[in-house]
């Protein structure tokens, strides 16, 4: 049963998007008085909110400092940073500032499986949900993917909640108390939000606060951290595992996903492509093991899982040239994971053509030099920061500036040879040219279809 919130003051919700609306609905069910504010004059869900709460109009355009300073509590949407001056002032007045995930954790009536990482978290979250369902467990999946976390509390109690969590959501989470939590990997991202890489990493590690089981990537030291007494830890990686851990082993001429020395699935049986997706599969297996759902049924679901749209998604083959949509790669780490995952699958005479570009979000592209070698036939650049990326691409690589997705695809097709793969993995945000990464991936598919 959920606890009713009792207070003589007003809770202030800051941010009117999917999260803010879910908080308003939750507080209304709890009979908790609230105000809702947004820094934008016309936030995207304003009309929907007004239709549901016509007697509680939102305050838009400027945050009401007086109301914030006297609030019982502020529930902050992830799109707004804690560094906002109005929030800093309210904090000085002793007002507690939390996010919807902290509120969810305080009221959740089933164990939480929590998943974060710079890359792969949507894939792993979805995969864990499908594998758990196949194993006979009931789960509700949401958070940073699909349904807002608080909306899950209105559904029948499941065996587990499975949440994808961003660093923005974790910033305002005090103690998640997850049954199992994982950081899949950490690479530079959102440097336009954080003043340092350390601050970004620190936000990610909050997922472990109060966790009973911790799943870490043994190939990425940044997924580790101090281990509290009584916390169980399992690790995964695409190398050979120790006893009871998860990894890849060789048996004859085949490679297997395995727990310890026990082979579970042949790599050849998976529909997902790329080494990074092997890592994602192993992370999901480790989580299922602590959930009590790693069995023949969940492993069969893993075999059938094709991955998510816009994440190393096979689009088409044209005259022996394969086109892959990885539009969700909005940072260098994701782009690197796609490249390093696909290169080992190429034969000696096959190469990769890479389409990149967009809004860099303050990223340092010097890392590109480490991931692009002579197996990259060409790099096609587009968008706001194309020139910035070009400066980081090794001069030995054939590089072209293009003006649109269609022209980038067409140029890649002209340069490619049979057996090559054309990979859209932008390493940038999309809003300079597209409505979002989904629109960018869709336009890539349309351009490929028009060849």
């Amino acid at each position: 049963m959920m606890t009713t919130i009792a207070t003589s003051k007003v809770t202030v919700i800051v941010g009117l998007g999917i999260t803010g609306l879910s908080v308003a609905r939750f507080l209304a069910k709890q009979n908790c008085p609230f105000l809702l504010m947004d820094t934008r004059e016309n936030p995207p869900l304003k009309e929907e909110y007004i239709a549901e709460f016509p007697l509680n109009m939102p305050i838009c355009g400027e945050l009401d400092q007086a109301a914030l300073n006297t609030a019982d509590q502020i529930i902050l949407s992830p799109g707004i940073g804690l560094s906002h001056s109005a929030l800093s002032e309210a904090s000085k007045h002793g007002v507690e500032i939390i996010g919807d995930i902290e509120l969810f954790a305080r009221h959740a009536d089933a164990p939480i499986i929590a998943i974060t990482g710079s890359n792969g978290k949507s894939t792993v979250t979805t995969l864990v949900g499908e594998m758990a369902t196949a194993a006979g467990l009931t789960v509700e999946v949401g958070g940073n993917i699909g349904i807002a976390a608080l909306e899950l509390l209105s559904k029948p109690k499941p065996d587990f909640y499975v949440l994808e969590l961003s660093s923005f959501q974790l910033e305002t989470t005090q103690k998640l108390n997850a049954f199992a939590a994982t950081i899949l990997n950490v690479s530079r991202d959102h440097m336009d939000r954080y003043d340092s890489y350390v601050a970004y990493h620190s936000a990610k590690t909050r997922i472990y606060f109060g966790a009973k089981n911790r799943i870490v990537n043994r190939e990425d030291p940044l997924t580790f951290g101090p281990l509290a007494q009584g916390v169980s830890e399992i690790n995964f990686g695409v190398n050979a595992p120790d006893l009871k851990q998860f990894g890849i082993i060789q048996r004859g001429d085949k490679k297997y996903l395995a727990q310890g020395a026990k082979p579970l699935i042949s790599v050849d049986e998976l529909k997902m492509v790329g080494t990074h997706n092997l890592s994602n599969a192993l992370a999901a297996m480790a989580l299922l093991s602590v959930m009590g759902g790693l069995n023949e049924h969940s492993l069969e679901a893993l075999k059938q899982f094709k991955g998510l749209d816009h994440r190393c998604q096979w689009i088409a083959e044209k005259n022996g040239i394969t086109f892959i949509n990885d539009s969700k790669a909005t940072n260098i780490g994701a782009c690197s994971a796609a490249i390093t995952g696909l290169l080992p699958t190429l034969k000696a005479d096959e190469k990769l053509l890479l389409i990149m570009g967009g809004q860099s979000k303050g990223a340092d592209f010097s890392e590109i030099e480490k991931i692009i070698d002579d197996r990259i036939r060409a790099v096609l650049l587009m968008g706001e920061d194309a020139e910035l990326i070009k400066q980081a691409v090794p001069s030995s690589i054939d590089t072209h500036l293009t003006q649109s997705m269609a022209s980038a695809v067409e140029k890649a097709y002209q340069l490619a040879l049979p057996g090559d793969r054309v990979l859209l993995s932008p390493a940038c945000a999309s809003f300079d040219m597209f409505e979002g990464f989904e629109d960018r991936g869709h336009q890539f598919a349309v351009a490929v279809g028009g060849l």
Side-chain angles (χ1 to χ4, degrees):
M1 295 292 291
M2 295 184 212
T3 305
T4 299
I5 300 171
T7 177
S8 59
K9 290 186 176 182
V10 172
T11 293
V12 176
I13 305 167
V14 178
L16 180 45
I18 293 173
T19 297
L21 184 56
S22 74
V23 174
R25 289 167 175 163
F26 177 79
L27 295 180
K29 289 179 181 177
Q30 300 296 311
N31 295 317
C32 174
F34 65 86
L35 292 175
L36 190 146
M37 305 179 188
D38 197 291
T39 57
R40 299 163 292 186
E41 288 288 351
N42 291 293
L45 297 181
K46 182 177 180 179
E47 295 306 317
E48 186 173 347
Y49 170 83
I50 292 173
E52 288 192 42
F53 303 99
L55 301 180
N56 193 346
M57 297 297 288
I59 301 170
C60 296
E62 186 176 347
L63 301 183
D64 185 330
Q65 189 68 67
L68 290 174
N69 292 349
T70 57
D72 176 59
Q73 185 181 64
I74 295 171
I75 303 178
L76 182 63
S77 294
I80 303 173
L82 283 165
S83 60
H84 191 289
S85 59
L87 299 172
S88 297
E89 182 65 25
S91 183
K92 290 177 183 177
H93 282 74
V95 180
E96 180 186 44
I97 303 175
I98 65 171
D100 69 309
I101 301 303
E102 174 66 24
L103 188 61
F104 174 87
R106 295 178 184 184
H107 294 268
D109 51 1
I112 298 169
I113 306 300
I115 299 161
T116 195
S118 298
N119 305 297
K121 54 186 177 290
S122 293
T123 295
V124 174
T125 302
T126 304
L127 183 53
V128 167
E130 293 191 10
M131 290 176 69
T133 300
L137 300 170
T138 59
V139 295
E140 292 293 344
V141 179
N144 194 49
I145 183 175
I147 302 172
L150 288 169
E151 301 281 5
L152 302 179
L153 296 180
S154 63
K155 297 174 177 290
K157 178 182 175 180
D159 293 320
F160 294 96
Y161 293 110
V162 181
L163 300 184
E164 175 191 324
L165 300 176
S166 69
S167 60
F168 296 172
Q169 290 172 309
L170 289 166
E171 285 175 20
T172 51
T173 301
Q174 298 173 2
K175 201 166 187 180
L176 187 58
N177 291 322
F179 176 76
T182 185
I183 302 175
L184 302 172
N185 47 67
V186 181
S187 60
R188 289 184 181 274
D189 197 9
H190 301 300
M191 289 298 101
D192 53 343
R193 167 87 165 229
Y194 297 99
D195 58 13
S196 70
Y197 191 22
V198 172
Y200 170 63
H201 176 249
S202 178
K204 288 289 189 189
T205 58
R206 297 178 72 87
I207 199 169
Y208 291 143
F209 291 2
K212 296 179 176 63
N213 298 279
R214 191 167 74 173
I215 313 300
V216 300
N217 181 346
R218 62 176 172 271
E219 297 180 290
D220 187 345
L222 292 178
T223 67
F224 288 74
L227 190 63
Q229 187 174 3
V231 177
S232 172
E233 184 174 272
I234 294 176
N235 65 61
F236 66 92
V238 296
N239 51 12
D242 290 332
L243 184 66
K244 296 184 179 179
Q245 310 307 316
F246 289 83
I248 296 178
I249 60 174
Q250 189 90 26
R251 289 291 182 268
D253 61 350
K254 286 192 173 185
K255 291 182 178 181
Y256 291 85
L257 304 185
Q259 184 175 21
K262 181 181 179 182
L264 297 175
I265 299 179
S266 167
V267 170
D268 294 339
E269 294 181 276
L270 297 176
K271 288 186 167 58
M272 292 192 295
V273 299
T275 305
H276 60 301
N277 273 325
L278 296 182
S279 181
N280 290 336
L282 290 163
M285 292 166 68
L287 287 166
L288 262 292
S289 72
V290 299
M291 295 167 69
L294 189 62
N295 56 33
E296 61 181 20
H297 303 295
S298 59
L299 291 176
E300 183 60 32
L302 173 56
K303 292 178 188 178
Q304 299 304 319
F305 187 71
K306 296 179 181 179
L308 302 183
D309 291 348
H310 313 294
R311 296 163 177 85
C312 279
Q313 175 192 16
W314 183 94
I315 295 297
E317 181 180 314
K318 301 268 186 174
N319 293 327
I321 300 162
T322 301
F323 292 82
I324 299 170
N325 169 22
D326 193 41
S327 181
K328 183 61 170 64
T330 58
N331 58 61
I332 293 291
C335 177
S336 176
I339 293 171
T340 56
L342 288 172
L343 286 178
T345 69
L346 298 176
K347 296 178 182 178
D349 58 344
E350 296 173 345
K351 294 197 175 186
L352 198 63
L353 293 93
L354 181 61
I355 300 176
M356 299 178 67
Q359 293 175 315
S360 64
K361 300 183 292 182
D364 177 5
F365 285 104
S366 61
E367 188 177 331
I368 288 178
E369 190 172 1
K370 301 175 185 176
I371 59 176
I372 294 182
D373 57 28
D374 59 5
R375 291 173 294 176
I376 307 291
R377 189 179 299 282
V379 175
L380 298 307
L381 298 173
M382 62 181 180
E384 186 176 295
D385 288 317
E387 286 283 0
L388 181 65
I389 302 172
K390 184 180 180 181
Q391 295 171 18
V393 176
S395 59
S396 59
I397 301 297
D398 188 19
T399 305
H400 300 265
L401 295 175
T402 62
Q403 299 304 311
S404 67
M405 179 65 76
S407 61
V409 169
E410 184 176 355
K411 187 64 177 179
Y413 187 50
Q414 291 171 0
L415 296 171
L417 298 177
D420 286 353
R421 299 184 186 186
V422 176
L423 170 67
L424 169 67
S425 192
C428 291
S430 57
F431 298 108
D432 56 334
M433 297 174 66
F434 308 96
E435 294 180 3
F437 73 85
E438 299 96 337
D439 178 44
R440 178 167 61 189
H442 173 69
Q443 291 198 34
F444 173 74
V446 170
V448 172
L451 293 173

